[in-house]
Amino acid sequence: MDIFDVLSAISKRKKAFMYSGINEHEALIKAELDVSKNYHIPLFDIKKLVKA
């Protein structure tokens, strides 16, 4: 899994959370945490990717 796959997964999950009624900021936080758990990537690394 490369960087683009990780960012794509975060984006898809963020959109899904937003469609369920969660605001954008909370949706991003939940998407990052979800991807971190599912793909066994440290949350710190995911946050660095999203901010870059």
Side-chain angles (χ1 to χ4, degrees):
M1 177 168 242
D2 65 1
I3 293 170
F4 299 110
D5 293 333
V6 172
L7 291 174
S8 177
I10 291 169
S11 178
K12 287 178 185 176
R13 289 202 169 94
K14 178 184 166 189
K15 286 180 184 178
F17 284 129
M18 288 174 61
Y19 287 136
S20 70
I22 298 174
N23 70 35
E24 185 175 359
H25 180 69
E26 290 294 322
L28 177 61
I29 292 171
K30 288 185 178 207
E32 291 172 345
L33 186 60
D34 195 33
V35 169
S36 174
K37 287 181 182 178
N38 286 340
Y39 295 111
H40 307 288
I41 301 171
L43 187 58
F44 178 74
D45 291 339
I46 287 180
K47 290 199 178 284
K48 285 193 319 187
L49 276 176
V50 171
K51 287 185 179 183

Short mmCIF file of all heavy atoms in Angstrom, two decimals:
data_model
loop_
_atom_site.label_atom_id
_atom_site.label_comp_id
_atom_site.label_asym_id
_atom_site.label_seq_id
_atom_site.Cartn_x
_atom_site.Cartn_y
_atom_site.Cartn_z
N MET A 1 0.85 -1.17 0.00
CA MET A 1 0.00 0.00 0.00
C MET A 1 0.90 1.24 0.00
O MET A 1 1.77 1.38 0.84
CB MET A 1 -0.88 -0.05 1.24
CG MET A 1 -1.76 1.13 1.41
SD MET A 1 -2.99 0.85 2.68
CE MET A 1 -4.43 0.99 1.68
N ASP A 2 0.66 2.12 -0.95
CA ASP A 2 1.48 3.33 -1.02
C ASP A 2 0.72 4.53 -0.46
O ASP A 2 -0.41 4.41 0.01
CB ASP A 2 1.96 3.58 -2.44
CG ASP A 2 0.85 3.89 -3.42
OD1 ASP A 2 -0.32 3.93 -3.02
OD2 ASP A 2 1.16 4.11 -4.60
N ILE A 3 1.36 5.67 -0.50
CA ILE A 3 0.81 6.90 0.07
C ILE A 3 -0.54 7.26 -0.54
O ILE A 3 -1.47 7.64 0.16
CB ILE A 3 1.80 8.07 -0.11
CG1 ILE A 3 3.05 7.82 0.72
CG2 ILE A 3 1.18 9.39 0.25
CD1 ILE A 3 4.18 8.79 0.43
N PHE A 4 -0.65 7.09 -1.84
CA PHE A 4 -1.89 7.47 -2.52
C PHE A 4 -3.05 6.57 -2.13
O PHE A 4 -4.19 7.02 -2.04
CB PHE A 4 -1.68 7.47 -4.04
CG PHE A 4 -0.62 8.46 -4.47
CD1 PHE A 4 0.58 8.02 -4.95
CD2 PHE A 4 -0.84 9.82 -4.35
CE1 PHE A 4 1.57 8.93 -5.33
CE2 PHE A 4 0.12 10.74 -4.72
CZ PHE A 4 1.34 10.29 -5.22
N ASP A 5 -2.78 5.30 -1.89
CA ASP A 5 -3.83 4.39 -1.42
C ASP A 5 -4.32 4.78 -0.04
O ASP A 5 -5.52 4.74 0.24
CB ASP A 5 -3.31 2.94 -1.39
CG ASP A 5 -3.03 2.39 -2.77
OD1 ASP A 5 -3.66 2.85 -3.75
OD2 ASP A 5 -2.16 1.49 -2.87
N VAL A 6 -3.39 5.17 0.82
CA VAL A 6 -3.75 5.59 2.17
C VAL A 6 -4.60 6.87 2.12
O VAL A 6 -5.65 6.96 2.76
CB VAL A 6 -2.49 5.80 3.04
CG1 VAL A 6 -2.85 6.42 4.38
CG2 VAL A 6 -1.75 4.50 3.24
N LEU A 7 -4.16 7.84 1.35
CA LEU A 7 -4.91 9.09 1.23
C LEU A 7 -6.28 8.87 0.60
O LEU A 7 -7.26 9.49 1.01
CB LEU A 7 -4.10 10.12 0.44
CG LEU A 7 -2.85 10.65 1.13
CD1 LEU A 7 -2.06 11.54 0.19
CD2 LEU A 7 -3.19 11.39 2.41
N SER A 8 -6.35 7.98 -0.35
CA SER A 8 -7.63 7.66 -0.98
C SER A 8 -8.59 7.01 0.02
O SER A 8 -9.78 7.34 0.06
CB SER A 8 -7.40 6.73 -2.17
OG SER A 8 -8.61 6.34 -2.74
N ALA A 9 -8.07 6.10 0.82
CA ALA A 9 -8.90 5.44 1.83
C ALA A 9 -9.41 6.45 2.86
O ALA A 9 -10.58 6.40 3.26
CB ALA A 9 -8.11 4.33 2.52
N ILE A 10 -8.55 7.38 3.26
CA ILE A 10 -8.97 8.41 4.22
C ILE A 10 -10.05 9.28 3.61
O ILE A 10 -11.06 9.57 4.25
CB ILE A 10 -7.76 9.27 4.65
CG1 ILE A 10 -6.80 8.44 5.50
CG2 ILE A 10 -8.22 10.50 5.43
CD1 ILE A 10 -5.46 9.12 5.76
N SER A 11 -9.87 9.67 2.37
CA SER A 11 -10.85 10.52 1.69
C SER A 11 -12.21 9.83 1.57
O SER A 11 -13.25 10.44 1.83
CB SER A 11 -10.34 10.89 0.31
OG SER A 11 -11.27 11.66 -0.38
N LYS A 12 -12.21 8.57 1.18
CA LYS A 12 -13.47 7.82 1.04
C LYS A 12 -14.19 7.68 2.37
O LYS A 12 -15.40 7.86 2.45
CB LYS A 12 -13.19 6.43 0.46
CG LYS A 12 -12.83 6.46 -1.00
CD LYS A 12 -12.51 5.09 -1.52
CE LYS A 12 -12.03 5.15 -2.97
NZ LYS A 12 -11.63 3.83 -3.47
N ARG A 13 -13.44 7.38 3.43
CA ARG A 13 -14.07 7.23 4.74
C ARG A 13 -14.56 8.57 5.26
O ARG A 13 -15.61 8.65 5.90
CB ARG A 13 -13.09 6.58 5.70
CG ARG A 13 -12.88 5.13 5.35
CD ARG A 13 -12.39 4.33 6.51
NE ARG A 13 -12.44 2.92 6.20
CZ ARG A 13 -11.42 2.22 5.71
NH1 ARG A 13 -10.28 2.81 5.47
NH2 ARG A 13 -11.55 0.93 5.47
N LYS A 14 -13.81 9.63 5.00
CA LYS A 14 -14.23 10.97 5.42
C LYS A 14 -15.55 11.34 4.77
O LYS A 14 -16.47 11.83 5.43
CB LYS A 14 -13.15 11.99 5.06
CG LYS A 14 -13.52 13.41 5.41
CD LYS A 14 -12.45 14.37 4.95
CE LYS A 14 -12.93 15.79 4.99
NZ LYS A 14 -12.00 16.71 4.35
N LYS A 15 -15.66 11.10 3.46
CA LYS A 15 -16.91 11.40 2.76
C LYS A 15 -18.06 10.59 3.31
O LYS A 15 -19.18 11.10 3.48
CB LYS A 15 -16.75 11.14 1.26
CG LYS A 15 -15.93 12.18 0.57
CD LYS A 15 -15.81 11.88 -0.91
CE LYS A 15 -14.89 12.87 -1.61
NZ LYS A 15 -14.73 12.57 -3.03
N ALA A 16 -17.81 9.31 3.61
CA ALA A 16 -18.87 8.46 4.16
C ALA A 16 -19.33 8.99 5.52
O ALA A 16 -20.54 9.03 5.79
CB ALA A 16 -18.36 7.02 4.29
N PHE A 17 -18.40 9.41 6.36
CA PHE A 17 -18.77 9.97 7.66
C PHE A 17 -19.53 11.28 7.49
O PHE A 17 -20.50 11.53 8.21
CB PHE A 17 -17.54 10.20 8.53
CG PHE A 17 -16.96 8.94 9.13
CD1 PHE A 17 -15.61 8.66 9.00
CD2 PHE A 17 -17.75 8.04 9.83
CE1 PHE A 17 -15.06 7.52 9.56
CE2 PHE A 17 -17.22 6.89 10.38
CZ PHE A 17 -15.87 6.62 10.25
N MET A 18 -19.14 12.10 6.53
CA MET A 18 -19.82 13.37 6.30
C MET A 18 -21.25 13.15 5.81
O MET A 18 -22.16 13.87 6.21
CB MET A 18 -19.04 14.24 5.32
CG MET A 18 -17.77 14.81 5.91
SD MET A 18 -16.73 15.71 4.75
CE MET A 18 -17.83 17.01 4.24
N TYR A 19 -21.45 12.15 4.96
CA TYR A 19 -22.80 11.85 4.47
C TYR A 19 -23.70 11.35 5.59
O TYR A 19 -24.92 11.47 5.52
CB TYR A 19 -22.77 10.84 3.34
CG TYR A 19 -22.25 11.40 2.04
CD1 TYR A 19 -21.36 10.70 1.26
CD2 TYR A 19 -22.67 12.64 1.57
CE1 TYR A 19 -20.87 11.20 0.07
CE2 TYR A 19 -22.20 13.17 0.38
CZ TYR A 19 -21.30 12.44 -0.37
OH TYR A 19 -20.83 12.94 -1.54
N SER A 20 -23.09 10.79 6.64
CA SER A 20 -23.89 10.30 7.76
C SER A 20 -24.26 11.42 8.74
O SER A 20 -24.97 11.17 9.70
CB SER A 20 -23.16 9.18 8.50
OG SER A 20 -22.05 9.68 9.20
N GLY A 21 -23.75 12.65 8.49
CA GLY A 21 -24.16 13.79 9.29
C GLY A 21 -23.10 14.34 10.21
O GLY A 21 -23.38 15.24 11.00
N ILE A 22 -21.89 13.85 10.13
CA ILE A 22 -20.80 14.35 10.98
C ILE A 22 -20.13 15.52 10.26
O ILE A 22 -19.97 15.49 9.05
CB ILE A 22 -19.78 13.22 11.26
CG1 ILE A 22 -20.47 12.07 12.01
CG2 ILE A 22 -18.59 13.73 12.03
CD1 ILE A 22 -19.59 10.86 12.19
N ASN A 23 -19.71 16.54 11.03
CA ASN A 23 -19.06 17.69 10.39
C ASN A 23 -17.70 17.28 9.84
O ASN A 23 -17.15 16.24 10.17
CB ASN A 23 -18.97 18.89 11.33
CG ASN A 23 -17.99 18.71 12.47
OD1 ASN A 23 -16.94 18.09 12.33
ND2 ASN A 23 -18.34 19.27 13.62
N GLU A 24 -17.14 18.13 8.99
CA GLU A 24 -15.94 17.78 8.23
C GLU A 24 -14.73 17.49 9.12
O GLU A 24 -13.99 16.54 8.88
CB GLU A 24 -15.60 18.91 7.25
CG GLU A 24 -14.45 18.58 6.34
CD GLU A 24 -14.19 19.66 5.29
OE1 GLU A 24 -14.93 20.67 5.27
OE2 GLU A 24 -13.26 19.47 4.51
N HIS A 25 -14.53 18.30 10.13
CA HIS A 25 -13.38 18.11 11.02
C HIS A 25 -13.47 16.77 11.77
O HIS A 25 -12.49 16.02 11.83
CB HIS A 25 -13.26 19.28 11.99
CG HIS A 25 -12.11 19.17 12.93
ND1 HIS A 25 -10.81 19.29 12.49
CD2 HIS A 25 -12.05 18.93 14.25
CE1 HIS A 25 -10.00 19.12 13.53
NE2 HIS A 25 -10.73 18.91 14.60
N GLU A 26 -14.62 16.51 12.35
CA GLU A 26 -14.81 15.24 13.07
C GLU A 26 -14.71 14.05 12.13
O GLU A 26 -14.18 13.00 12.48
CB GLU A 26 -16.17 15.24 13.78
CG GLU A 26 -16.25 16.18 14.95
CD GLU A 26 -15.34 15.79 16.09
OE1 GLU A 26 -15.19 14.59 16.36
OE2 GLU A 26 -14.75 16.70 16.70
N ALA A 27 -15.22 14.21 10.91
CA ALA A 27 -15.16 13.12 9.93
C ALA A 27 -13.70 12.80 9.57
O ALA A 27 -13.34 11.63 9.44
CB ALA A 27 -15.94 13.50 8.67
N LEU A 28 -12.88 13.83 9.44
CA LEU A 28 -11.47 13.61 9.13
C LEU A 28 -10.77 12.87 10.27
O LEU A 28 -10.01 11.93 10.03
CB LEU A 28 -10.76 14.93 8.85
CG LEU A 28 -9.26 14.85 8.58
CD1 LEU A 28 -8.98 13.99 7.35
CD2 LEU A 28 -8.68 16.23 8.41
N ILE A 29 -11.03 13.28 11.49
CA ILE A 29 -10.41 12.63 12.64
C ILE A 29 -10.82 11.15 12.70
O ILE A 29 -9.98 10.26 12.90
CB ILE A 29 -10.80 13.35 13.95
CG1 ILE A 29 -10.15 14.74 13.98
CG2 ILE A 29 -10.40 12.54 15.17
CD1 ILE A 29 -10.64 15.62 15.10
N LYS A 30 -12.11 10.88 12.51
CA LYS A 30 -12.58 9.49 12.55
C LYS A 30 -12.02 8.68 11.39
O LYS A 30 -11.68 7.51 11.56
CB LYS A 30 -14.11 9.45 12.54
CG LYS A 30 -14.71 9.90 13.83
CD LYS A 30 -16.21 9.74 13.82
CE LYS A 30 -16.77 10.16 15.16
NZ LYS A 30 -18.00 9.49 15.48
N ALA A 31 -11.92 9.27 10.22
CA ALA A 31 -11.38 8.57 9.06
C ALA A 31 -9.92 8.21 9.28
O ALA A 31 -9.48 7.10 8.97
CB ALA A 31 -11.55 9.42 7.81
N GLU A 32 -9.13 9.16 9.82
CA GLU A 32 -7.72 8.89 10.10
C GLU A 32 -7.58 7.74 11.09
O GLU A 32 -6.76 6.84 10.89
CB GLU A 32 -7.04 10.13 10.67
CG GLU A 32 -6.87 11.25 9.69
CD GLU A 32 -6.37 12.52 10.32
OE1 GLU A 32 -6.40 12.66 11.56
OE2 GLU A 32 -5.93 13.40 9.57
N LEU A 33 -8.37 7.76 12.14
CA LEU A 33 -8.31 6.71 13.15
C LEU A 33 -8.73 5.36 12.57
O LEU A 33 -8.10 4.33 12.83
CB LEU A 33 -9.20 7.08 14.33
CG LEU A 33 -9.15 6.17 15.54
CD1 LEU A 33 -7.74 6.11 16.11
CD2 LEU A 33 -10.11 6.65 16.60
N ASP A 34 -9.76 5.36 11.76
CA ASP A 34 -10.26 4.14 11.14
C ASP A 34 -9.21 3.52 10.20
O ASP A 34 -8.96 2.31 10.26
CB ASP A 34 -11.54 4.45 10.37
CG ASP A 34 -12.32 3.21 10.00
OD1 ASP A 34 -12.29 2.23 10.78
OD2 ASP A 34 -12.96 3.22 8.93
N VAL A 35 -8.60 4.33 9.37
CA VAL A 35 -7.57 3.84 8.45
C VAL A 35 -6.36 3.35 9.23
O VAL A 35 -5.76 2.32 8.90
CB VAL A 35 -7.18 4.93 7.43
CG1 VAL A 35 -5.94 4.54 6.65
CG2 VAL A 35 -8.34 5.19 6.48
N SER A 36 -6.01 4.05 10.29
CA SER A 36 -4.89 3.64 11.13
C SER A 36 -5.11 2.24 11.70
O SER A 36 -4.22 1.39 11.67
CB SER A 36 -4.70 4.64 12.26
OG SER A 36 -3.72 4.21 13.17
N LYS A 37 -6.31 2.00 12.19
CA LYS A 37 -6.62 0.68 12.77
C LYS A 37 -6.69 -0.41 11.70
O LYS A 37 -6.16 -1.50 11.89
CB LYS A 37 -7.96 0.74 13.52
CG LYS A 37 -7.88 1.49 14.82
CD LYS A 37 -9.23 1.48 15.50
CE LYS A 37 -9.21 2.27 16.79
NZ LYS A 37 -10.53 2.30 17.43
N ASN A 38 -7.36 -0.12 10.60
CA ASN A 38 -7.57 -1.15 9.58
C ASN A 38 -6.29 -1.55 8.85
O ASN A 38 -6.13 -2.71 8.48
CB ASN A 38 -8.60 -0.69 8.56
CG ASN A 38 -10.00 -0.72 9.12
OD1 ASN A 38 -10.28 -1.40 10.09
ND2 ASN A 38 -10.89 0.03 8.51
N TYR A 39 -5.40 -0.61 8.62
CA TYR A 39 -4.20 -0.90 7.85
C TYR A 39 -2.94 -0.99 8.72
O TYR A 39 -1.84 -1.12 8.19
CB TYR A 39 -4.01 0.15 6.76
CG TYR A 39 -5.10 0.12 5.73
CD1 TYR A 39 -6.02 1.15 5.63
CD2 TYR A 39 -5.25 -0.96 4.87
CE1 TYR A 39 -7.04 1.12 4.69
CE2 TYR A 39 -6.26 -1.01 3.93
CZ TYR A 39 -7.15 0.03 3.86
OH TYR A 39 -8.16 0.00 2.93
N HIS A 40 -3.12 -0.91 10.04
CA HIS A 40 -2.01 -1.03 10.99
C HIS A 40 -0.89 -0.03 10.70
O HIS A 40 0.28 -0.38 10.66
CB HIS A 40 -1.47 -2.46 11.01
CG HIS A 40 -2.52 -3.48 11.25
ND1 HIS A 40 -3.10 -3.65 12.49
CD2 HIS A 40 -3.11 -4.37 10.42
CE1 HIS A 40 -4.00 -4.61 12.40
NE2 HIS A 40 -4.04 -5.06 11.16
N ILE A 41 -1.30 1.21 10.50
CA ILE A 41 -0.36 2.31 10.27
C ILE A 41 -0.46 3.22 11.49
O ILE A 41 -1.57 3.58 11.89
CB ILE A 41 -0.72 3.10 8.99
CG1 ILE A 41 -0.72 2.18 7.79
CG2 ILE A 41 0.23 4.26 8.79
CD1 ILE A 41 -1.28 2.82 6.53
N PRO A 42 0.67 3.59 12.08
CA PRO A 42 0.60 4.48 13.24
C PRO A 42 -0.15 5.78 12.92
O PRO A 42 0.02 6.37 11.85
CB PRO A 42 2.06 4.77 13.55
CG PRO A 42 2.81 3.63 12.95
CD PRO A 42 2.03 3.22 11.74
N LEU A 43 -0.98 6.20 13.85
CA LEU A 43 -1.79 7.41 13.66
C LEU A 43 -0.91 8.63 13.43
O LEU A 43 -1.25 9.50 12.63
CB LEU A 43 -2.70 7.62 14.86
CG LEU A 43 -3.73 8.72 14.76
CD1 LEU A 43 -4.65 8.51 13.57
CD2 LEU A 43 -4.54 8.80 16.03
N PHE A 44 0.24 8.68 14.08
CA PHE A 44 1.17 9.80 13.90
C PHE A 44 1.60 9.91 12.44
O PHE A 44 1.65 11.01 11.88
CB PHE A 44 2.39 9.60 14.81
CG PHE A 44 3.43 10.68 14.67
CD1 PHE A 44 3.21 11.94 15.21
CD2 PHE A 44 4.60 10.45 13.98
CE1 PHE A 44 4.17 12.93 15.08
CE2 PHE A 44 5.54 11.45 13.83
CZ PHE A 44 5.32 12.69 14.40
N ASP A 45 1.88 8.79 11.80
CA ASP A 45 2.30 8.80 10.39
C ASP A 45 1.15 9.25 9.48
O ASP A 45 1.38 9.97 8.51
CB ASP A 45 2.78 7.42 9.96
CG ASP A 45 4.10 7.04 10.63
OD1 ASP A 45 4.82 7.95 11.08
OD2 ASP A 45 4.40 5.83 10.69
N ILE A 46 -0.04 8.84 9.78
CA ILE A 46 -1.20 9.25 8.97
C ILE A 46 -1.41 10.76 9.11
O ILE A 46 -1.66 11.44 8.12
CB ILE A 46 -2.45 8.47 9.38
CG1 ILE A 46 -2.32 7.03 8.88
CG2 ILE A 46 -3.72 9.12 8.84
CD1 ILE A 46 -3.46 6.14 9.18
N LYS A 47 -1.30 11.28 10.31
CA LYS A 47 -1.47 12.72 10.49
C LYS A 47 -0.40 13.51 9.75
O LYS A 47 -0.68 14.57 9.20
CB LYS A 47 -1.47 13.06 11.98
CG LYS A 47 -2.71 12.56 12.69
CD LYS A 47 -2.93 13.26 13.99
CE LYS A 47 -4.20 12.79 14.66
NZ LYS A 47 -5.39 13.34 14.06
N LYS A 48 0.82 12.99 9.69
CA LYS A 48 1.89 13.66 8.92
C LYS A 48 1.54 13.65 7.43
O LYS A 48 1.80 14.63 6.73
CB LYS A 48 3.23 12.97 9.15
CG LYS A 48 3.84 13.29 10.49
CD LYS A 48 5.29 12.91 10.64
CE LYS A 48 5.67 11.60 10.06
NZ LYS A 48 7.06 11.18 10.35
N LEU A 49 0.99 12.56 6.93
CA LEU A 49 0.61 12.48 5.51
C LEU A 49 -0.48 13.48 5.17
O LEU A 49 -0.42 14.13 4.12
CB LEU A 49 0.10 11.08 5.17
CG LEU A 49 1.09 10.02 4.85
CD1 LEU A 49 0.36 8.70 4.63
CD2 LEU A 49 1.88 10.37 3.63
N VAL A 50 -1.47 13.57 6.02
CA VAL A 50 -2.61 14.45 5.74
C VAL A 50 -2.19 15.91 5.78
O VAL A 50 -2.65 16.70 4.95
CB VAL A 50 -3.76 14.17 6.75
CG1 VAL A 50 -4.85 15.21 6.63
CG2 VAL A 50 -4.31 12.77 6.52
N LYS A 51 -1.30 16.27 6.66
CA LYS A 51 -0.85 17.66 6.76
C LYS A 51 0.12 18.05 5.66
O LYS A 51 0.26 19.21 5.36
CB LYS A 51 -0.19 17.91 8.11
CG LYS A 51 -1.18 17.96 9.24
CD LYS A 51 -0.50 18.35 10.53
CE LYS A 51 -1.53 18.41 11.64
NZ LYS A 51 -0.92 18.84 12.89
N ALA A 52 0.78 17.09 5.05
CA ALA A 52 1.80 17.40 4.04
C ALA A 52 1.23 17.92 2.76
O ALA A 52 0.23 17.99 2.33
CB ALA A 52 2.63 16.17 3.74
#
